[in-house]
Structure formats: structure tokens, C-alpha cells
Amino acid sequence: MATSLGANIYNRQNWEDADFPILCQTCLGENPYIRMTKEKYGKECKICARPFTVFRWCPGTRMRFKKTEVCQTCSKMKNVCQTCLLDLEYGLPIQVRDTGLSIKDDVPKSDVNKEYYTQNMEREIGNSDGTRPVGLLGKAPSSSDMLLKLARTTPYYKRNRPHICSFWVKGECKRGEECPYRHEKPTDPDDPLADQNIKDRYYGINDPVADKLLKRASTMPRLDTPEDKSITTLYVGGLGDSITDSELRNHFYQFGEIRTTTIVQRQQCAFIQFATRQAAELAAEKSFNKLIIKGRRLNVKWGRSQGARGKEGREREGVTEMGMKLEPVPGLPGALPLPPVDEDAPTNYFNLGPNSAPPVMNISLPPPPGVAMPPPGFGPPMFHSMDPMAIPHPMGMRPPGHVHYPSQDPQRMGAHASRHGGS
């Protein structure tokens, strides 16, 4: 006789009975003393549909009550929290974690295959010591640079806040401050984050939170390893005046033997040369965007080889690596001509001698509107005397090198030559 699904004895040997849930620090709350209710076989798991023990608690003051959503077997298979289904080690969605570790764990979704897969994973969990994840996640590499950058290091207790009061949104809430729900404006319903599914998060597909984090990771700066294997030097910028050579060595010696350490104090940078390429790659991976010494975040990059720098210098001078002279590019402007120099002008520009002539300042005046300026080197030199006692000359009588100002013309001003010392 077939057993119905509603019978108490249906597959009862696989039902879960636990004493404490598997939770992350955020879901557990900031209060170390917590009151939790336990209901044996209270609900069925949202993933494997098997009854399990449900725990319910309040994570803090003015927070909503939370409960476990999946069984502990499904939680251990993915190493996630039973409530929020985020990774217990990094605090990230499963899709982000699997992308960072380059693993693809295809959990079956049909009823028969899912039951068979779950029983096999339970057997593997029972044979393990419980310190490491099981399945493909236990065989994955220990960490990833992308996961370390995106990982949440502190709990995010705002995730436990109450839901928004729907009566307040409609303007009908009469509880006031006693309302246990939030009186805030809801988010845009077209926002992708407003449509989240617990199964999509567990299987790592179509998770809007994971898509947002992956887009953020794609825009983060990264350090590419140079193809030239002879490069074993790292550039460290932003040193300031307080970071010394010994402090740099104390940080970088843990990655391998250091050949030389050169600090350029003028540019506030340093060059760390390792003995092996492997040590340099390890130091670049562990220090890029993570190196902080004396409260200063230092910029770590790969150095350039001597051959590349010499090649750039030769190309800048117009000579290729093979020694061939490069032809000039047509259409580029040539060098500007030197300013005109009056050979008869005195050379004592600083007026150091007692009987020296007054200093001369070369001031180029702009042409009046509508008059084209002559090319450099073809116009007359224009000089203005700095001596306030100098006698102005008319337009036709002024010595070469002096500028004639119409306002200083004695005839225009109505002055007489005798006033200026003339005969």
C-alpha cells in the first residue's frame, strides 16, 4: 500500500531535528542574550521540501522577528545561513561566491533527483569532520581576490529592520509611534532589488543583489601581471615623508627574498625588487589596494623593465630599437624662433653698476583691433624704458628700441621742449 505525503511516517527517518540553527552574525543580532523558540518539524524546507526544526527569535530592539527558512542539510551543502541564505564566510550571495571561486555547482531541481542528491550529500556530511564545506565548495580554492574586496567584514543589522507599513503608505495607519512596522516611503517597484526570490538566491541564478555586486566588482581597479618574466620590481607610490626603508622591508619580506629597496624621496615613491618572479607576483596580489602603512594607503604597481624604458627613450629621440632614424611627421609645427636681441642694448639688466644704464624690459604690446600682427622675427623690436626720468621722443626722432606712446607726445600734450630740458 502506497503511503500518502500527509502521513506522519512518510520518509520520517530523513526529517531533521536540531538543537541550534546555523546563522550568520547579522541574522543572530547584536544582543548576546537572546530568547529563541523551537518548533520541531514546524515547516518544510523551502529547497528540499522536507520537514525540519524551525527556530524563531527577535534579533534586537525595534527589529522584526526572524525564523529559519531552509533545513541544515541544505545550509551545509552551500555553506550559507539558514535565514538569509548568504555565505557564512564572506557574507555574499551564492552567485557571487561561486563566480569568484570559479565553481559551478548544479543542484538538481526535480523532486526525485533532488531527493537522491540530498541523501548522498547527507552521507558525505556525516563522514566529514564539519570543519570544511562539502561537495564542490570544499574542493574550491581557499579564497579569491574579488571576494576579499567585496566581503562584508562587519554585521549589517539594518537588514533586520521591520517591513514597511502598508497602512501608512495608504495613509490609514492609526497606531502612530506604537506601530511595529516602518513608516517610510517604499522603494520603486521597478527596482530589480524589489523582486528577490529565495530559490533563485540558493541556486545562484537571477539574483538581483548578486548582479549588483558583480557589476561593482567589474568596475574595481585591478593589477594585471606583465608578460615580461624578467620584471621582478614593484612600484610603491604615495609614501609621504614618514615611511622609511625598514618599514617597507618589514611588510614585503614575508613574500620572498628582497634584492634591493630604492626610495625616491623627491617623488615620494619606492621600488622593491624581489629575487624571484613568484615572490613579486605574490606581493603584488596581496598588497594591491590593501597596503596601509602608518595610516597611509599606498599605491602598488608593477615596475617596467630596463629594455622597455630604453626603447621609449629611443623612440622619443626619433631612433627605433634597430637603430633606424625615423622620418619627421609632416604637418607638425616647427620650433619657435628666438626673440630678437638688440646688440647695442646694455647687458647690465640688474642695474648693479653705479653708472650703468637703466634696465630695459622687453614688453610686446598687442596690435590695435583690425591690424594683423607681423610674423615673429619680422616686426620692429619694441622696448620700453623703465627709467621714470627718461625723455620721450616724437615718433620720428625716438631712438630704436623705444616704444612711442601717443599720450606722451609733447606736441599733443601741449608741452614745450624747454620743460623737458630741451634748448
Side-chain angles (χ1 to χ4, degrees), residues 392 394 405-420:
Y405 296 95
S407 61
Q408 298 177 356
D409 193 345
Q411 297 179 0
R412 180 180 177 183
M413 299 290 293
H416 296 285
S418 61
R419 294 181 182 180
H420 301 280

Side-chain angles (χ1 to χ4, degrees), residues 130-203:
T131 58
R132 287 185 55 85
V134 296
L136 294 178
L137 185 59
K139 304 175 184 177
S142 58
S143 63
S144 170
D145 186 52
M146 183 190 74
L147 296 181
L148 293 177
K149 293 177 181 178
L150 295 177
R152 184 178 293 275
T153 56
T154 57
Y156 184 67
Y157 296 119
K158 285 187 177 182
R159 205 167 63 213
N160 301 332
R161 292 182 302 170
H163 296 293
I164 295 177
C165 180
S166 59
F167 288 92
W168 182 86
V169 174
K170 295 183 292 185
E172 300 177 358
C173 183
K174 300 179 181 179
R175 296 184 179 182
E177 295 181 356
E178 296 180 357
C179 183
Y181 298 96
R182 283 188 293 156
H183 288 181
E184 296 180 6
K185 184 180 179 180
T187 58
D188 186 6
D190 297 332
D191 187 4
L193 296 179
D195 186 16
Q196 300 185 29
N197 190 294
I198 189 171
K199 289 189 176 181
D200 290 343
R201 171 167 292 183
Y202 185 82
Y203 293 123

Side-chain angles (χ1 to χ4, degrees), residues 46-293:
K46 297 287 184 64
I47 304 301
C48 65
R50 296 186 304 174
F52 73 105
T53 302
V54 178
F55 296 89
R56 190 173 181 268
W57 71 99
C58 183
T61 308
R62 302 290 297 177
M63 299 293 179
R64 72 176 187 270
F65 274 83
K66 309 190 75 172
K67 66 179 187 302
T68 53
E69 304 291 346
V70 298
C71 65
Q72 292 196 3
T73 302
C74 295
S75 172
K76 293 178 181 178
M77 286 193 302
K78 293 284 190 175
N79 193 32
V80 295
C81 173
Q82 282 188 263
T83 301
C84 63
L85 269 68
L86 295 180
D87 185 75
L88 293 173
E89 183 177 358
Y90 302 104
L92 298 173
I94 297 176
Q95 185 176 350
V96 179
R97 183 200 63 191
D98 293 350
T99 303
L101 298 179
S102 301
I103 61 176
K104 187 176 181 182
D105 191 5
D106 294 330
V107 179
K109 302 177 183 180
S110 63
D111 295 338
V112 178
N113 292 337
K114 183 166 53 177
E115 182 68 25
Y116 177 75
Y117 179 81
T118 305
Q119 290 180 2
N120 291 338
M121 294 304 296
E122 278 186 338
R123 190 180 302 110
E124 185 176 350
I125 293 172
N127 296 331
S128 64
D129 55 357
T131 58
R132 287 185 55 85
V134 296
L136 294 178
L137 185 59
K139 304 175 184 177
S142 58
S143 63
S144 170
D145 186 52
M146 183 190 74
L147 296 181
L148 293 177
K149 293 177 181 178
L150 295 177
R152 184 178 293 275
T153 56
T154 57
Y156 184 67
Y157 296 119
K158 285 187 177 182
R159 205 167 63 213
N160 301 332
R161 292 182 302 170
H163 296 293
I164 295 177
C165 180
S166 59
F167 288 92
W168 182 86
V169 174
K170 295 183 292 185
E172 300 177 358
C173 183
K174 300 179 181 179
R175 296 184 179 182
E177 295 181 356
E178 296 180 357
C179 183
Y181 298 96
R182 283 188 293 156
H183 288 181
E184 296 180 6
K185 184 180 179 180
T187 58
D188 186 6
D190 297 332
D191 187 4
L193 296 179
D195 186 16
Q196 300 185 29
N197 190 294
I198 189 171
K199 289 189 176 181
D200 290 343
R201 171 167 292 183
Y202 185 82
Y203 293 123
I205 55 175
N206 302 328
D207 189 357
V209 180
D211 294 338
K212 179 181 177 180
L213 293 175
L214 290 176
K215 290 179 181 179
R216 183 189 302 176
S218 62
T219 57
M220 294 176 64
R222 60 181 183 180
L223 186 62
D224 296 330
T225 305
E227 299 180 357
D228 189 0
K229 297 298 182 181
S230 62
I231 300 178
T232 59
T233 304
L234 295 181
Y235 165 86
V236 183
L239 296 181
D241 300 329
S242 58
I243 299 179
T244 61
D245 177 87
S246 60
E247 292 171 343
L248 290 176
R249 284 183 172 271
N250 290 339
H251 171 76
F252 284 102
Y253 86 96
Q254 58 181 321
F255 306 113
E257 181 182 355
I258 298 177
R259 183 170 296 172
T260 57
T261 303
T262 306
I263 295 182
V264 184
Q265 197 65 37
R266 181 178 179 182
Q267 299 180 359
Q268 294 186 351
C269 65
F271 296 91
I272 313 297
Q273 184 180 11
F274 288 88
T276 60
R277 174 59 178 260
Q278 183 179 2
E281 291 181 358
L282 181 61
E285 179 183 356
K286 299 295 183 181
S287 304
F288 179 67
N289 275 353
K290 306 172 189 174
L291 179 56
I292 299 177
I293 299 179

Side-chain angles (χ1 to χ4, degrees), residues 2-75:
T3 307
S4 63
L5 295 179
N8 293 332
I9 59 174
Y10 171 74
N11 203 15
R12 190 161 185 170
Q13 65 273 13
N14 292 326
W15 292 6
E16 177 186 286
D17 183 14
D19 295 329
F20 197 83
I22 301 175
L23 301 174
C24 62
Q25 182 64 33
T26 300
C27 293
L28 196 57
E30 56 184 341
N31 189 357
Y33 302 100
I34 190 171
R35 179 177 295 177
M36 186 178 294
T37 62
K38 172 184 175 182
E39 185 179 3
K40 192 174 182 180
Y41 310 142
K43 284 184 176 295
E44 67 177 18
C45 177
K46 297 287 184 64
I47 304 301
C48 65
R50 296 186 304 174
F52 73 105
T53 302
V54 178
F55 296 89
R56 190 173 181 268
W57 71 99
C58 183
T61 308
R62 302 290 297 177
M63 299 293 179
R64 72 176 187 270
F65 274 83
K66 309 190 75 172
K67 66 179 187 302
T68 53
E69 304 291 346
V70 298
C71 65
Q72 292 196 3
T73 302
C74 295
S75 172

